[in-house]
Amino acid sequence: MAEKTDYEYIVVGAGPAGVQMAYYMEKYKMDYLVVERADGPGSFYRKYPRHRNLISINKKYNVFPEPEFNMRHDWNSLLCDEEDPLLFTDYSEDLFPNAGLLVKYIEDFCKKYKTNIRYNTNITNVHRDDKNDGNRSRSRFTLTDEKGNKFTCRVLMIGTGPILPHEPQIPGVELIDSYQDHSLDLEEYKNKKVCILGGGNSAFEVADHLAGSAGLIHMFNRHPVKFAWDTHFVGHLRAVNNNVLDMYHLKSLHALRKCEATRVWKTEDGKFSIEYNMHLPNWDPPGTGRFVTSGYDKIISCTGWKFINMGMFDETCKAETHTEGKYPILDEHWQSTVPDMYLIGTAMQARDRRAASGFIHGFRYNVRTLTNMLRSTYDGRELNREVFSPIDQDEICNWVVKHVSIVSALYQMGQGYLCDVMLVDKEGDAKTDKPTSGKIEYLRELPQAWVKKQDWFMDAKLAIIVTIEDTISKYPSLSATEFFTPGDANASNCKCSPFPQAVFRVYKNGEMAEELYIGGSLVVRADTRNFDGDTNPERYVNKVKNLFHRHTGIGKDGFYEQLFTPDMWPKVYRPWTQEEIAQQTKMEMDKLKKSSQYECSISILKPTVDVSDM
């Protein structure tokens, strides 16, 4: 019997995204194949990260019992709908485990759950046969591997992950080492002078590894370093990698320079020189300096990855890219500029620089969502939904508050990237025109940008979008952690809270009518007491009930929304006197003045760059 080579769906790459897609396609009995160039799944993690410690959190113990809630803090497990799922937290209790364990976990996942993966199949060319007759269903992709085998499909998904290094475009870059190939032998760096190009996690990972051996490390980055604790974006610099910054500020030789390398060359003594531009707003007059530093024993480029290999595709299906070819251009449901070609896995971050699409704990949900959307687009299946009928105010409001208290997808893919949608279809009394019942259709985990373009959403008389978001944008830019203080407990609409919280936005015929931030808590749950004196834990659901009644007329309103019941306020809260308010205001103003004082004689521009390392 001839081997099957034609499929409805083909996935290129059996990394965590490809394996996750295979799991769901197998579950829904879709016609698919995953092709992988290596001899097993998860091969990227056999080598990367180079220094072997993952930066994806592996937190097994989280107080609360719900498996869904615990997935919020398990950043490496794949999704599984079985009663006894295979979890990465059973492989290690280290907060940042060794990458080799992740390879073992993905291999075991493929053994435990049936998947249609063909290994040792290196795709070297992709061609799209467009019939040009307006019927996309007749167009097919043809994939050719290095042995000349051909495979065809209607829908193609690229899950090849970080496929190529994103090298700096400067003369001499071919002379230096890269993140992908630099030596890990610390003996080679003892008392050496090392320059690292880059300012992301890979650059700091290398610097951290070398910090105890290298005599001096200079890190060159043209952009300011962005810290995950400031931006709340998991892809920015993580604390686990930033020891070199600590040493820099404590005057221990290693240093970070905000500058742009423009040329590298090797000198006669075998060492390296590097030319670079540095903006100097404090100089008189302000300007840009061009400098050269010589004598480096090693220069290592750690400037990230490209997430699509354009050399794999012929002229019939070259997707458009952005950021110097680093990311593919994707639409609201991860389709590239080539029809029927989608990007999955870490490449999904091409649309997302606020949530977690670049990591397993984010794109596992994107992949699950995309599977359902593909079934709707190509197989004519309705999007998965739950129906509540007849509408009961207590039932739906209590259910949704419990749901947002434990759900992981909206939590990980926060800032409104993925959302749930409630479509409310009211029934009214013909005589009084008062709402009596009806139904609610609840759709889970859809890209919000995609939802807002759908006719069924735009035409809905009443729809509620549910997300989980933080409000860091409401706070002063880069405010220190100790100033990131709780919002007003008296506020019914908590638009300024330091913790992620559920947000309900009401839409009528596509126009937003109201938005409600229900308030956050330390554990990011709305179904439990925050502390022993929390006398009104029902305030979260009360806010939703009041919102629901305002827009449907179903049930009743007037539910109490404050943190403490009225009788408890005097027992737990003492307002400041006018003298105390004045004293606190003076303290804050003094701090602000101190932070803006510089030992600088130039007043042309407010100082923004530390040039003390020159």
Side-chain angles (χ1 to χ4, degrees):
M1 183 176 178
E3 182 181 12
K4 179 177 169 66
T5 59
D6 183 60
Y7 295 86
E8 187 73 359
Y9 303 93
I10 288 183
V11 181
V12 181
V19 170
Q20 186 71 87
M21 181 65 78
Y23 172 83
Y24 279 107
M25 287 191 158
E26 191 71 38
K27 173 182 176 178
Y28 292 121
K29 297 180 170 51
M30 299 167 74
D31 181 31
Y32 79 98
L33 173 69
V34 178
V35 292
E36 165 59 43
R37 65 181 176 181
D39 59 1
S43 61
F44 177 85
Y45 296 98
R46 296 178 190 176
K47 182 177 180 180
Y48 302 109
R50 292 296 312 281
H51 306 93
R52 306 314 289 145
N53 272 6
L54 300 170
I55 60 171
S56 296
I57 290 172
N58 178 58
K59 190 169 183 297
K60 184 171 185 174
Y61 304 107
N62 305 298
V63 178
F64 294 96
E66 300 95 346
E68 175 72 8
F69 177 86
N70 286 307
M71 286 295 281
R72 292 180 171 185
H73 310 289
D74 172 356
W75 287 13
N76 299 288
S77 292
L78 297 178
L79 301 178
C80 175
D81 297 337
E82 315 302 322
E83 289 187 5
D84 183 26
L86 189 69
L87 298 175
F88 183 77
T89 48
D90 293 332
Y91 286 66
S92 173
E93 294 188 3
D94 292 338
L95 190 60
F96 299 106
N98 185 278
L101 288 175
L102 184 57
V103 177
K104 178 70 166 62
Y105 167 76
I106 297 172
E107 290 174 344
D108 289 349
F109 191 93
C110 291
K111 291 175 184 175
K112 182 171 183 177
Y113 305 112
K114 183 181 178 183
T115 52
N116 187 24
I117 303 176
R118 177 181 168 125
Y119 298 109
N120 300 304
T121 305
N122 183 23
I123 301 300
T124 56
N125 181 264
V126 179
H127 173 84
R128 186 172 190 265
D129 179 20
D130 192 343
K131 298 299 182 181
N132 292 318
D133 60 0
N135 186 357
R136 275 175 53 183
S137 64
R138 296 179 58 192
S139 298
R140 310 293 287 182
F141 290 94
T142 299
L143 289 72
T144 306
D145 71 10
E146 62 185 357
K147 299 174 185 176
N149 299 310
K150 295 184 183 297
F151 307 87
T152 56
C153 64
R154 179 185 176 190
V155 181
L156 178 62
M157 279 162 284
I158 305 298
T160 49
I163 188 68
L164 294 171
H166 183 244
E167 294 181 342
Q169 301 302 302
I170 59 173
V173 69
E174 70 280 358
L175 301 174
I176 66 178
D177 294 339
S178 70
Y179 174 78
Q180 290 74 15
D181 62 20
H182 76 281
S183 172
L184 302 183
D185 184 0
L186 293 177
E187 289 292 326
E188 294 186 24
Y189 301 93
K190 279 190 174 179
N191 205 30
K192 301 297 185 182
K193 187 175 180 181
V194 180
C195 177
I196 298 174
L197 305 183
N201 279 298
S202 61
F204 277 92
E205 173 198 331
V206 173
D208 193 55
H209 179 69
L210 303 182
S213 297
L216 180 150
I217 297 173
H218 284 165
M219 300 186 71
F220 283 30
N221 190 41
R222 60 181 176 176
H223 303 295
V225 175
K226 294 182 179 179
F227 299 96
W229 62 56
D230 281 330
T231 64
H232 293 195
F233 175 55
V234 67
H236 289 152
L237 181 60
R238 305 284 297 286
V240 69
N241 280 331
N242 71 7
N243 284 326
V244 164
L245 276 181
D246 194 48
M247 297 178 74
Y248 172 35
H249 288 291
L250 295 177
K251 302 177 288 296
S252 296
L253 288 179
H254 304 327
L256 177 69
R257 285 180 160 181
K258 183 175 174 290
C259 58
E260 182 174 9
T262 56
R263 185 165 62 100
V264 173
W265 65 96
K266 218 167 187 180
T267 52
E268 291 182 358
D269 58 2
K271 295 184 183 293
F272 291 93
S273 294
I274 185 168
E275 179 186 77
Y276 54 95
N277 291 336
M278 179 180 285
H279 296 312
L280 300 166
N282 297 329
W283 287 31
D284 187 5
T288 296
R290 174 163 290 186
F291 305 99
V292 172
T293 298
S294 301
Y296 289 116
D297 297 287
K298 297 272 189 179
I299 298 181
I300 306 171
S301 172
C302 303
T303 49
W305 299 87
K306 291 184 178 181
F307 296 93
I308 185 168
N309 178 11
M310 298 305 297
M312 183 189 299
F313 307 92
D314 70 18
E315 293 304 319
T316 64
C317 53
K318 283 192 181 293
E320 296 178 31
T321 62
H322 64 87
T323 317
E324 300 174 339
K326 185 178 177 78
Y327 299 110
I329 294 174
L330 304 178
D331 70 8
E332 294 81 5
H333 65 318
W334 305 289
Q335 182 176 222
S336 72
T337 53
V338 177
D340 308 315
M341 186 170 86
Y342 298 79
L343 275 291
I344 64 172
T346 189
M348 287 169 151
Q349 68 182 296
R351 283 195 59 84
D352 165 29
R353 303 300 292 168
R354 299 180 68 198
S357 292
F359 288 69
I360 294 173
H361 67 288
F363 66 65
R364 64 190 179 191
Y365 299 106
N366 291 346
V367 167
R368 180 168 68 183
T369 291
L370 179 58
T371 308
N372 288 319
M373 297 176 80
L374 293 174
R375 295 177 73 221
S376 173
T377 300
Y378 296 98
D379 300 339
R381 304 272 185 170
E382 274 201 346
L383 292 170
N384 293 343
R385 66 194 69 203
E386 294 163 76
V387 178
F388 296 83
S389 181
I391 299 174
D392 180 279
Q393 182 192 29
D394 283 343
E395 177 193 24
I396 186 62
C397 294
N398 279 288
W399 180 89
V400 75
V401 167
K402 179 67 176 179
H403 174 62
V404 298
S405 295
I406 64 173
V407 66
S408 181
L410 300 189
Y411 179 88
Q412 303 291 16
M413 297 307 299
Q415 305 307 94
Y417 190 83
L418 289 185
C419 71
D420 290 353
V421 184
M422 300 170 65
L423 298 175
V424 184
D425 184 9
K426 299 181 293 182
E427 292 179 358
D429 186 293
K431 294 181 180 179
T432 65
D433 198 32
K434 291 183 178 179
T436 57
S437 181
K439 69 175 180 178
I440 290 176
E441 295 179 88
Y442 197 97
L443 290 77
R444 296 196 194 193
E445 301 167 21
L446 296 170
Q448 185 173 184
W450 179 84
V451 166
K452 291 180 177 179
K453 288 189 172 184
Q454 304 311 301
D455 290 341
W456 53 261
F457 174 78
M458 297 298 294
D459 295 339
K461 292 182 179 178
L462 180 59
I464 303 174
I465 285 181
V466 184
T467 61
I468 294 178
E469 305 174 22
D470 67 39
T471 54
I472 187 173
S473 61
K474 309 286 184 184
Y475 284 78
S477 176
L478 302 181
S479 60
T481 305
E482 63 267 28
F483 298 125
F484 201 55
T485 52
D488 185 359
N490 282 306
S492 292
N493 200 346
C494 300
K495 293 187 177 182
C496 193
S497 170
F499 313 112
Q501 58 177 307
V503 183
F504 294 78
R505 292 183 174 91
V506 179
Y507 289 83
K508 297 179 179 180
N509 297 112
E511 296 292 330
M512 189 168 71
E514 184 178 354
E515 66 177 357
L516 170 67
Y517 292 73
I518 67 171
S521 72
L522 283 170
V523 294
V524 194
R525 295 188 69 135
D527 65 339
T528 186
R529 294 179 186 274
N530 285 330
F531 46 89
D532 290 344
D534 184 354
T535 56
N536 187 25
E538 296 296 314
R539 65 187 174 279
Y540 300 108
V541 73
N542 287 348
K543 293 177 184 181
V544 178
K545 285 180 179 179
N546 289 337
L547 175 81
F548 189 78
H549 178 79
R550 282 197 294 275
H551 294 281
T552 67
I554 294 173
K556 56 184 180 179
D557 61 0
F559 294 97
Y560 189 66
E561 298 185 354
Q562 301 306 319
L563 176 61
F564 301 111
T565 51
D567 60 306
M568 282 298 295
W569 271 106
K571 300 177 183 177
V572 299
Y573 188 74
R574 180 186 66 80
W576 284 344
T577 64
Q578 288 300 316
E579 290 77 11
E580 288 173 316
I581 293 173
Q583 182 183 21
Q584 185 69 20
T585 301
K586 183 178 183 303
M587 288 173 56
E588 295 300 326
M589 291 302 295
D590 288 345
K591 288 178 186 176
L592 187 63
K593 288 177 182 177
K594 273 188 178 180
S595 68
S596 61
Q597 286 176 350
Y598 292 83
E599 295 292 330
C600 255
S601 60
I602 301 167
S603 58
I604 296 173
L605 289 179
K606 183 177 179 179
T608 58
V609 176
D610 182 359
V611 295
S612 61
D613 64 339
M614 292 186 53

